[in-house]
Amino acid sequence: KHYLCGYCAAFTNIAVTFPIQKVLFRQQLYGLKTKDAVHQLQKDGIRNLYRGILPPLMQKTTTLALMFGLYEDFSSLLHSHLSAPELLTRSMAAVLAGTTEAVLTPFERVQTLLQDYKHHDKFTNTYRAFKVLKVYGMREYYRGLVPILLRNGPSNALFFGLRGPIKQCLPEATSYSAHLVNDFICGGLLGAMLGFLFFPVNVVKTRMQAQIGGEFQSFSKVFVKIWLERDRKLIHLFRGAHLNYHRSVLSWGIINATYEFLLKLL
């Protein structure tokens, strides 16, 4: 049931927040201001607003199903085979779940290509994007894997480790709706915090995955290149972070509240 609840929570979230994600994506890739990114989407037209939704829909639903489901499975497995403290086993379970999620990198890779307006004429749909990448070999599907691994494991450990303590700090819920609100707040705060913390990692991942063919540059090399392009200013590296913060509050609030709601129903 943890897998099913995670899947449904992700589906609900993607359907609601995809347009916001597209604005954020343009900011990460080109360092645009919010109004410029929105204007770029307006020029693309309403037909292209949900262009590229299939890969994140497939990737995020599967990823969150694995994230919640594998976390529970790995936690039970490690707890029964190790005599380590529960905090350690649960942290290890979260990192293992996040690492396993990286298998789905090709979907995140294709989403990046479909959202980049420079590739609108080259890729008409998800199938076409996968087909074009096939020419470059399997490795091309996993471009940007390193930043994804750097993001997934630690963020999962922090999310599952802090979810309980944060909820305990909120006013005690005395009704079903109050529990739902608390779960939304808890998930939203955590998602926003982690989204901000790992924002530069996602900026590097986006830049790496926007490239087709050519040299596979290291994480550090791409990071330095972006750092120099943006005048060596930290604030420029975080362009779009404020929008990501608000999107994460909404996204992870929806995810956590939907997950806990469905978990109680099943």
Side-chain angles (χ1 to χ4, degrees):
K1 69 179 181 179
H2 294 283
Y3 290 95
L4 178 61
C5 291
Y7 182 94
C8 294
F11 187 93
T12 305
N13 167 57
I14 291 295
V16 173
T17 64
F18 186 74
I20 303 174
Q21 172 59 35
K22 288 199 77 168
V23 173
L24 173 63
F25 166 82
R26 298 289 173 89
Q27 291 188 280
Q28 287 179 332
L29 186 56
Y30 301 116
L32 300 173
K33 294 180 180 178
T34 302
K35 64 177 183 180
D36 294 328
V38 171
H39 181 64
Q40 204 176 75
L41 286 183
Q42 287 175 335
K43 286 179 65 178
D44 291 344
I46 193 70
R47 285 181 59 192
N48 287 316
L49 183 60
Y50 276 87
R51 176 186 165 88
I53 193 174
L54 186 58
L57 203 57
M58 295 171 68
Q59 184 244 342
K60 285 294 185 182
T61 50
T62 309
T63 293
L64 281 178
L66 291 175
M67 173 183 163
F68 286 106
L70 287 176
Y71 170 70
E72 294 296 332
D73 287 346
F74 280 134
S75 293
S76 299
L77 187 66
L78 292 172
H79 184 70
S80 61
H81 287 82
L82 297 177
S83 56
E86 185 177 358
L87 179 62
L88 179 60
T89 57
R90 288 198 171 273
S91 296
M92 289 173 61
V95 172
L96 286 171
T99 303
T100 306
E101 290 170 40
V103 173
L104 301 171
T105 294
F107 291 110
E108 201 163 341
R109 165 77 161 122
V110 169
Q111 178 192 357
T112 299
L113 295 175
L114 289 174
Q115 288 188 351
D116 185 357
Y117 77 94
K118 290 182 179 180
H119 299 306
H120 278 187
D121 295 332
K122 188 177 296 183
F123 305 120
T124 53
N125 53 47
T126 301
Y127 173 76
R128 177 64 180 163
F130 272 106
K131 191 175 181 180
V132 170
L133 289 180
K134 186 179 180 181
V135 177
Y136 296 91
M138 181 58 71
R139 191 183 178 195
E140 191 68 35
Y141 289 115
Y142 283 88
R143 192 183 285 270
L145 178 63
V146 171
I148 286 174
L149 288 172
L150 290 173
R151 177 196 67 192
N152 283 10
S155 63
N156 270 15
L158 289 169
F159 179 80
F160 286 112
L162 296 174
R163 194 168 55 146
I166 288 178
K167 190 173 181 180
Q168 289 177 0
C169 292
L170 297 174
E172 186 178 356
T174 55
S175 65
Y176 204 70
S177 58
H179 274 290
L180 201 63
V181 170
N182 278 2
D183 288 328
F184 182 90
I185 294 172
C186 176
L189 288 175
L190 260 178
M193 179 193 76
L194 295 176
F196 186 83
L197 184 63
F198 290 94
F199 192 82
V201 177
N202 277 324
V203 170
V204 176
K205 180 214 65 119
T206 300
R207 176 65 66 88
M208 292 172 78
Q209 291 190 331
Q211 179 184 340
I212 303 175
E215 179 188 358
F216 278 78
Q217 297 180 329
S218 66
F219 178 88
S220 58
K221 189 174 182 178
V222 176
F223 178 83
V224 170
K225 186 178 180 180
I226 296 171
W227 175 256
L228 294 174
E229 283 178 1
R230 302 192 182 183
D231 304 321
R232 303 182 182 186
K233 292 182 179 178
L234 191 62
I235 192 170
H236 289 175
L237 198 62
F238 277 85
R239 257 190 189 154
H242 68 290
L243 182 61
N244 184 60
Y245 179 88
H246 295 301
R247 181 194 64 86
S248 295
V249 169
L250 180 61
S251 290
W252 283 98
I254 291 171
I255 289 168
N256 198 51
T258 305
Y259 175 79
E260 294 295 340
F261 173 75
L262 293 174
L263 206 58
K264 292 181 177 71
L265 287 181
L266 299 178

